[in-house]
Structures are given as C-alpha cells and as structure tokens.
Amino acid sequence: MADSIRAWHPSVPGLREVLHASFDDHAYPMHAHDDWAVLLIDSGAVAYELDRGRHHALPDAVTILPPGVPHDGRSATKGAGFRKRVLYFESAWLPESAPSAAAVRPTLDGADVLEAVRAIHDALTEPAELLEAEHAALVLQDRVLERLHAPADAPADAPLARRLRDLLEGRVQEAFTIADAAAQLGAHPSHMTRAFTHAYGMPPHRYLISRRVDHARRLLVDGWRVADAAASAGFHDQAHLTRHFRRILGTTPARFKAGS
C-alpha cells in the first residue's frame, strides 16, 4: 500500500478539516488534537493507546478521538498498512462532559453511526452537496451523543418547523447553510433539523432540493434550456440538477424537456 495523504478545509460549519490517508508502515507517536477526530478505517486496522487504554480501530466501527487527550496509532497487523478517512470537528462540537466519556469508550459501533459518517464523506465528494454534508454532520452529532449517554433534546417543535419551512420557501434559489438558518431563527441547528424532520418526514436539505427540482421542472415546461433552469433553480450546474432530477422524477431534465 503506497503512502498517500490529502487534506482540505470544507465549507461545512463546525467541520474544520477532512483527511484521507493511506500508510504502508507509518506509526504515529503520542500526540493530541485541538479538535474532535472521527476516524473511519477503510482497510486494515489501527492499534492505538488513548488515555492509557489500548484500543483497535476497525472497518466495522467508527472511532472518535476527543480533543486534548493524547493518543498514538500504528497498523495492528505487522507488515500490513491501513487506509483511513478522518473528520475533524471543532472542540465545541460536543458538550464539555463528552471528552472524558469518549476517552473511555472511543469505539462507536452500529450501522447508524457508520452510515452517518459515510454520508458526510459521500456528500463531500461533490462540492455542491455541502448542505447535505452539514445535515449528515448533525445526524452524526446526535448519534455520538446517544452513544455517550447524553441524549439530545426532543424533536417535537412544530412552530419552529413551520418557521424553517417558510424560510426555505423564501430562499429556494439561494445558497446558505443550516447554521445560517438556525441563527436567523434563534434555534440550535440539531434541534431545528430534528423538529423539521419530525414535522415533515424529511430533513431540511432534502426538502430544499425537492423544491429546487420542482422549480426547475416548471422552467423546463416553459421552454428554458436545461443549463439555465439549473442555474435559476439554485443548482451548482446542469449535472447537479440532473442527479437530483433523475432521483426524484425518474428521468433526466433533457428527456423531460423533450417530452414537454
């Protein structure tokens, strides 16, 4: 396995850095981060010491390393390398009581946690899907809090959900973040997202995408070019519109336009 590394700063509130790396024989010495590190092992296995406890990071679970707590890391199999992806969240991502709990139980198993982490990475492969990545990060935050026995607040808040829907309807074609909307409504992003999902059966970013597809569909019926309809509806480009148009309506914008 050839050594490789890629790191970048995504435009997702609270997510400071993303790292993709593969190592043949590198071993990390004891060190500490300012941020929360959410580790996903794609191949191989990593043995590490955290707060004087010995652990293994494996592909079937997520590892969460708290800020300020020293740890090391090396391949768990002599002569074999490992491939990993890491999300670095700012230290305020979880409450002050969380680091001590995570130091004791850094391994988070369960399909829901893996799905949330993979959803973030999948969304980040397309720059235009930053709102989806932000939503997935909020879902992950809830899953981590559940595992650390710090349950999130109840989702029922119909007035807040209606206010968010009104805000989304007024900004269908605009680029903004869930954090922006939460600040405008005076709500916590995670609570606001859960309240909306509870009320309308889909998370806010999915609702917004569906409304953008609907807007583009009306423009295509009116005779607009696909590329112009995509831009007017708030999509990054024609390919971005096509991906979601096909998912929601079962055909491409070009075929839909041809049949209009």
Side-chain angles (χ1 to χ4, degrees):
M1 183 183 296
D3 289 359
S4 67
I5 191 163
R6 178 188 173 217
W8 72 97
H9 296 294
S11 299
V12 176
L15 181 56
R16 293 166 57 112
E17 184 181 335
V18 181
L19 173 72
H20 291 184
S22 61
F23 293 110
D24 186 23
D25 59 2
H26 176 66
Y28 288 97
M30 273 294 187
H31 63 288
H33 302 293
D34 293 333
D35 308 315
W36 286 93
V38 179
L39 172 64
L40 182 65
I41 299 296
D42 290 312
S43 64
V46 174
Y48 65 98
E49 183 175 329
L50 174 72
D51 198 28
R52 295 180 297 279
R54 296 187 179 278
H55 308 274
H56 285 82
L58 304 170
D60 60 352
V62 171
T63 297
I64 180 167
L65 303 173
V69 182
H71 59 279
D72 60 7
R74 69 196 63 80
S75 176
T77 305
K78 186 177 179 59
F82 60 90
R83 184 159 50 92
K84 68 175 184 176
R85 288 178 285 174
V86 189
L87 303 168
Y88 292 98
F89 290 94
E90 61 188 23
S91 60
W93 183 56
L94 295 178
E96 292 183 0
S97 60
S100 58
V104 176
R105 297 180 60 246
T107 301
L108 306 179
D109 53 11
D112 56 344
V113 180
L114 276 169
E115 181 181 353
V117 174
R118 287 170 177 161
I120 298 172
H121 285 290
D122 289 347
L124 291 175
T125 63
E126 293 289 347
E129 303 294 356
L130 294 176
L131 193 63
E132 186 168 347
E134 185 184 12
H135 168 74
L138 292 172
V139 172
L140 174 63
Q141 184 183 52
D142 285 347
R143 299 294 179 265
V144 173
L145 288 172
E146 290 170 359
R147 295 304 196 281
L148 298 181
H149 304 294
D153 50 354
D157 194 336
L160 175 60
R162 287 194 297 270
R163 289 166 61 208
L164 177 56
R165 184 187 63 179
D166 291 342
L167 178 63
L168 295 178
E169 288 291 345
R171 302 179 64 179
V172 167
Q173 298 156 271
E174 300 178 25
F176 64 97
T177 67
I178 295 173
D180 290 337
Q184 186 170 337
L185 297 178
H188 189 282
S190 184
H191 172 71
M192 182 186 72
T193 299
R194 289 194 303 274
F196 188 95
T197 304
H198 180 79
Y200 297 109
M202 67 172 70
H205 78 280
R206 289 292 184 193
Y207 181 90
L208 183 63
I209 288 294
S210 71
R211 298 293 293 115
R212 287 175 175 170
V213 167
D214 191 57
H215 180 68
R217 177 188 59 79
R218 292 197 304 271
L219 295 179
L220 293 174
V221 172
D222 289 342
W224 283 49
R225 295 173 60 247
V226 176
D228 294 338
S232 179
F235 289 99
H236 180 69
D237 54 23
Q238 183 173 329
H240 189 202
L241 166 62
T242 297
R243 183 165 63 252
H244 291 293
F245 201 97
R246 183 189 290 115
R247 179 178 61 83
I248 293 175
L249 298 180
T251 188
T252 66
R255 289 177 180 169
F256 180 86
K257 177 178 170 58
S260 298

